[in-house]
Amino acid sequence: MDLPAIQAALRERNIDGWLFYDHHHRDPIAYRILGLPASLMVTRRWFYLIPAHGEPQKLVHKIEAGHLDSLPGEKHVYAAWQELFAGIKTMLKDHRDIAMQYSPNNLIFYVSLVDGGTIELIRGLGKNVLSSGDLVAQFEATLTEAQMKTHYAARDAVDAITAAAFQEIGQRVRNGGTTEHEIQQWFMQAFSRENLVTEDPPIVAVNANSGNPHYEPQAGHSAPIREGDFVLLDVWAKLNIPDAVYYDITWTGFVGKAPSDRMHEIFHIVRDAREVGSKTVQDAVAAAKPISGWEVDRAVRNHIKHAGYGKYFIHRTGHSIGTEVHANGANMDDLEIHDERRILPNSLFSIEPGIYLPEFGVRSEVNVLVRPKAAEVTGKIQREIVII
């Protein structure tokens, strides 16, 4: 935990304090930002207040009194519920505007983790509960130089593996055949050889299955891959080391000599929409213009709408990427939510528009890393459908 940086961020935003609260590991954000071990047995509620000025305050139960000992600040303990309420009141007595893992109307639901009853309790003390969304993005979703290096290393490995996967598909189709699940397992073996890990296996989807954005091939439910098939590969992984950052891409290919005109048409619309998204970010960063996630999504979505396929683009344009493949920075989203969080320097996210038709779907995904004065696409960029 970087206490001086957190307190400086609170002062910059005119917030009196950031109140962390947990019970039974309901708020994993708190553990990551505070640097608490995820292995703690948490059967009682704890509170930790970081004020904009002064010493942090801890409130813990007597039977788990050591849970926050690794953190700076004055410790208070309770046993009875009356002591808990009194402790919270005392902790917050000199503060009015309190940030918590909360979002009005649950708009940023990735951050809105504090239960309604606890929000009522804090408001009942006359406090103004604010969303910690921008603070979470700053302290959890911006990367260190060392983390960026892990992303680049994952990029090099995943780009090479994905290119090899298309070759593997072609060889297997021409030498007896293969299935989506078999290629998925081939990916997992390649990840193991390259010391990569992933939260979930990659997506390997052909034809109509590629029109399902979160299709999952299974051993007992997996389509064969044949000559004339359209193939989508959605691949994400990171190095198997602490604090490593994911790389997450989606490419598409065709098994045969030439994709249909329809496949070319849809691919080019999606590809150009992806380019609109990247350029929107790059132009804003180069001009030192603040930009939020919803603005990127709107630019990309408008391109697809103008091409006549708006109703087939059914998800956000992109998501924050960090040590988890879906991290807690700004998402490129004006569909599922209106994400007003700013795109911050040293943040990483995907741009991945898609058009999903009944017969096939196209998604094209790149990763964008924003630095203080420039933004870059970090990996290889697909320009045309891969001929397998």
Side-chain angles (χ1 to χ4, degrees), residues 74-152:
E74 183 179 2
K75 179 165 73 175
H76 309 274
V77 297
Y78 74 94
W81 65 265
Q82 296 94 336
E83 294 174 319
L84 171 65
F85 289 176
I88 296 170
K89 184 175 182 179
T90 299
M91 177 185 285
L92 300 178
K93 64 182 177 65
D94 296 325
H95 310 291
R96 186 192 67 174
D97 295 328
I98 304 297
M100 298 186 75
Q101 268 74 282
Y102 152 81
S103 177
N105 299 315
N106 197 31
L107 186 62
I108 312 296
F109 49 87
Y110 320 97
V111 171
S112 200
L113 300 174
V114 178
D115 63 276
T118 299
I119 296 293
E120 290 176 351
L121 169 62
I122 304 304
R123 285 179 173 160
L125 296 174
K127 309 305 174 182
N128 181 29
V129 178
L130 305 173
S131 176
S132 64
D134 286 333
L135 292 165
V136 170
Q138 180 175 342
F139 291 101
E140 191 178 36
T142 57
L143 308 179
T144 65
E145 294 293 330
Q147 287 180 311
M148 292 177 202
K149 289 180 180 178
T150 70
H151 170 75
Y152 289 128

Side-chain angles (χ1 to χ4, degrees), residues 138-260:
Q138 180 175 342
F139 291 101
E140 191 178 36
T142 57
L143 308 179
T144 65
E145 294 293 330
Q147 287 180 311
M148 292 177 202
K149 289 180 180 178
T150 70
H151 170 75
Y152 289 128
R155 170 203 65 187
D156 293 344
V158 170
D159 276 349
I161 290 170
T162 303
F166 284 119
Q167 295 179 346
E168 184 72 17
I169 291 169
Q171 291 173 2
R172 291 192 183 196
V173 168
R174 292 167 180 85
N175 290 288
T178 190
T179 67
E180 298 165 325
H181 184 261
E182 288 171 351
I183 296 300
Q184 182 190 68
Q185 296 308 300
W186 178 91
F187 267 108
M188 296 303 290
Q189 293 166 7
F191 288 174
S192 179
R193 289 194 303 270
E194 297 296 328
N195 198 33
L196 298 171
V197 293
T198 181
E199 295 174 6
D200 298 290
I203 294 172
V204 180
V206 301
N207 302 331
N209 290 337
S210 65
N212 175 357
H214 279 183
Y215 170 73
E216 296 182 71
Q218 306 289 333
H221 179 73
S222 175
I225 305 176
R226 302 187 177 102
E227 191 84 13
D229 283 349
F230 186 86
V231 180
L232 180 147
L233 303 178
D234 188 353
V235 189
W236 58 94
K238 65 178 181 177
L239 298 185
N240 188 18
I241 61 174
D243 294 323
V245 169
Y246 272 91
Y247 179 64
D248 181 10
I249 56 170
T250 305
W251 282 54
T252 49
F254 178 78
V255 184
K257 294 182 179 180
S260 68

